[in-house]
Amino acid sequence: MKTQNHIVTTLIIGALAGLSFISCSGKKEADQQTTAAATYKLIPAKRVLFNSFVDCNMAEAWVGDTFRIFPGKYGEDPLWGNARDLKYADGRNAEEAFARQGKDFTEPKMPANVPIGQPGLHGAVWFETVYQDTTDRSGKTLYAVYHNENYPATLPYDPKTGEGYIDKKWPQGLTGLKSPAAVCRIGIMKSTNGGKAWENKGLFIEDLQPRMILKPHNTSKTFAGGVGDPSAVASGDYLYMFYGEYGYPGQYDEAGYDRKKEWSGQCISVARIKLSDLDNPVGKARRWDGKGFNAPYNGVGAPIASLQIPESEGGGAASSPTGGFHWGPSVSWNTYLNCWVMLMGKVVGQSWAGSSIHISFNQNRDLGEALQSQAWSKPKLLLDKPGFFLWYPSLQPMNTPDDIANKHTCLRLGQRARLFVKNIKPEKSEYLSEYILEFSKGTN
């Protein structure tokens, strides 16, 4: 679903025409909400427009005293065109980095796409999270968790390995009747020089061809299946990956297809990998299966139940034109609340239609104990902007003394943070911030 530097106007117009929006937020006054974990409110703030291409979570890290961001897209893409937009920019704090002009961004050295049939990097990538190796005191050893998209044309099916996709009854993509839907996967790259050059380490998790949802059932103009749009955080000895699950929970079979079963296995899921395995990740990750981290990296896991939208409340399968699922998580540890905070989007129609951003909390610092990785509160509405598509929400540090002294990033924040989100209309797409999110401690 990741796009290039533009959105197809007819696509968005058609999707908007089929929606009815409910106005809840986007008010001029602060809108305060309360959960058991926290009281929070959106405070209108000076509008900040990001000056480079963003179509994913904002990956970032402090390298020494430099705040470095990694937005953009890189690699081969037959639908939107090959891209060299994955670049980095620096600042003495987050606000300075976010204010950089396009000319101030630098392209890192990236691994080349390999020919069809060879092992290596296929398709396009977007960096979604940067994990910083805590054992490297220089701060220059980084692991980028990337969203990867392929098509039958860039990754054709290989019966020897089971990798790749078969161009038969393939669902429609975003740019018209003859465009193919993408399949997303999640991988890891490594840098030892602060993000100026990267080496591909391989895939973290993926869904294979048998789990792709095909015609005539897949009419959403989103993905054919797969896993993507991740946000990764470290807890204990593991890196935990929260991501969107878009595949069928088992083998898709046209004759036996069950839309309710599809819905039951989708929404936001979680997998984990040992930090010590990041240099050689392929096959090492385990997905949550409903009882523990037992499912293999390419097996069938289970979504986080509290984040699913019940069918009675409009929830639905990802392949359905009516949508009804949360996606695109952005997770951070909040030092003021002493809990995890997750932002997410909501799909309600074809082509990733959805005008609202939602928030959830998890008060368990250790995500590895018992069911604690699953203990997220039911998402609440944070922001709604009728007439827009809202994608990729994230909380970002500012230039406060606390943010700078504690080297806060989107993965670790304090009482106040900037809310950034991609605002999409037919005529333009902007990644921007119009609000500060302020937390107060809950009642229990």
Side-chain angles (χ1 to χ4, degrees):
M1 178 272 306
K2 310 287 188 179
T3 63
Q4 188 54 303
N5 292 333
H6 60 280
I7 297 295
V8 178
T9 300
T10 54
L11 165 74
I12 302 300
I13 289 175
L16 287 174
L19 292 176
S20 59
F21 294 97
I22 301 174
S23 178
C24 295
S25 292
K27 302 175 183 177
K28 291 184 179 180
E29 69 275 12
D31 186 8
Q32 182 166 304
Q33 299 287 335
T34 302
T35 71
T39 298
Y40 55 93
K41 60 183 178 181
L42 281 178
I43 303 171
K46 181 181 177 180
R47 190 175 189 264
V48 175
L49 178 65
F50 191 70
N51 299 306
S52 189
F53 175 52
V54 177
D55 201 45
C56 56
N57 274 321
M58 180 64 73
E60 60 202 36
W62 283 90
V63 182
D65 292 326
T66 298
F67 186 88
R68 184 163 292 162
I69 53 178
F70 298 92
K73 169 189 176 182
Y74 166 82
E76 60 183 356
D77 188 335
L79 191 64
W80 299 100
N82 295 353
R84 300 283 293 272
D85 297 311
L86 200 161
K87 300 179 180 181
Y88 66 89
D90 297 338
R92 292 169 296 181
N93 53 63
E95 290 193 354
E96 189 172 277
F98 273 70
R100 293 297 186 199
Q101 299 299 308
K103 63 180 178 60
D104 298 324
F105 283 73
T106 302
E107 185 177 353
K109 183 179 180 181
M110 297 290 290
N113 284 120
V114 300
I116 290 173
Q118 294 186 17
L121 182 63
H122 296 273
V125 299
W126 295 253
F127 286 177
E128 304 265 5
T129 301
V130 168
Y131 166 71
Q132 195 163 26
D133 186 351
T134 58
T135 65
D136 180 1
R137 297 183 65 181
S138 74
K140 293 182 178 180
T141 300
L142 309 176
Y143 293 89
V145 176
Y146 64 80
H147 172 107
N148 173 227
E149 289 185 7
N150 277 283
Y151 306 84
T154 59
L155 197 65
Y157 183 72
D158 182 346
K160 294 180 181 178
T161 64
E163 295 284 335
Y165 316 109
I166 302 170
D167 193 5
K168 182 179 180 181
K169 295 191 175 183
W170 199 255
Q172 181 183 332
L174 284 168
T175 62
L177 288 173
K178 295 184 178 180
S179 67
V183 180
C184 50
R185 312 186 296 177
I186 300 172
I188 295 173
M189 290 192 189
K190 182 180 181 180
S191 174
T192 56
N193 59 3
K196 296 180 180 180
W198 294 90
E199 175 188 3
N200 187 36
K201 291 297 182 180
L203 293 179
F204 182 93
I205 50 175
E206 65 173 329
D207 291 342
L208 300 178
Q209 170 67 31
R211 295 189 60 192
M212 299 300 105
I213 305 164
L214 307 175
K215 292 179 179 177
H217 298 110
N218 194 336
T219 56
S220 64
K221 301 178 187 176
T222 53
F223 286 133
V227 291
D229 307 303
S231 180
V233 295
S235 177
D237 295 329
Y238 291 88
L239 188 69
Y240 289 81
M241 185 87 62
F242 296 91
Y243 59 93
E245 174 62 77
Y246 309 110
Y248 198 74
Q251 182 166 338
Y252 168 80
D253 172 66
E254 182 178 333
Y257 172 76
D258 184 332
R259 192 171 295 281
K260 185 171 183 178
K261 180 178 178 180
E262 182 191 335
W263 165 85
S264 73
Q266 294 175 335
C267 200
I268 295 172
S269 300
V270 61
R272 74 179 187 181
I273 189 171
K274 288 184 178 179
L275 296 173
S276 58
D277 285 333
L278 293 180
D279 282 319
N280 185 23
V282 178
K284 305 291 180 60
R286 290 293 179 268
R287 298 160 76 149
W288 182 265
D289 69 352
K291 297 181 179 179
F293 290 97
N294 303 315
Y297 82 105
N298 58 5
V300 179
I304 298 171
S306 61
L307 303 183
Q308 281 186 300
I309 302 172
E311 292 180 293
S312 61
E313 298 176 16
S319 69
S320 166
T322 57
F325 58 92
H326 292 122
W327 73 289
S330 179
V331 180
S332 57
W333 175 255
N334 192 281
T335 60
Y336 173 76
L337 297 175
N338 200 36
C339 76
W340 299 100
V341 178
M342 181 188 293
L343 301 188
M344 67 203 81
K346 181 181 179 181
V347 172
V348 297
Q350 282 185 325
S351 308
W352 304 97
S355 67
S356 60
I357 300 302
H358 300 255
I359 190 168
S360 175
F361 299 88
N362 185 333
Q363 299 185 69
N364 300 289
R365 185 181 190 116
D366 186 350
L367 297 174
E369 289 294 323
L371 298 174
Q372 292 180 184
S373 68
Q374 308 295 297
W376 292 90
S377 62
K378 183 176 180 178
K380 286 192 173 184
L381 179 67
L382 180 64
L383 174 67
D384 195 0
K385 292 184 69 175
F388 287 84
F389 286 9
L390 297 187
W391 295 353
Y392 310 120
S394 69
L395 296 177
Q396 298 291 341
M398 299 182 288
N399 64 348
T400 64
D402 179 60
D403 282 334
I404 296 171
N406 290 292
K407 294 189 174 180
H408 284 161
T409 70
C410 59
L411 302 179
R412 183 180 174 87
L413 294 159
Q415 185 176 9
R416 289 162 59 97
R418 270 273 186 183
L419 171 64
F420 272 85
V421 63
K422 187 166 184 175
N423 291 243
I424 301 172
K425 275 199 160 188
E427 62 274 14
K428 64 181 176 181
S429 169
E430 297 177 316
Y431 186 69
L432 57 84
S433 173
E434 299 173 295
Y435 297 95
I436 291 171
L437 183 60
E438 181 178 272
F439 295 104
S440 298
K441 294 180 180 178
T443 55
N444 55 332

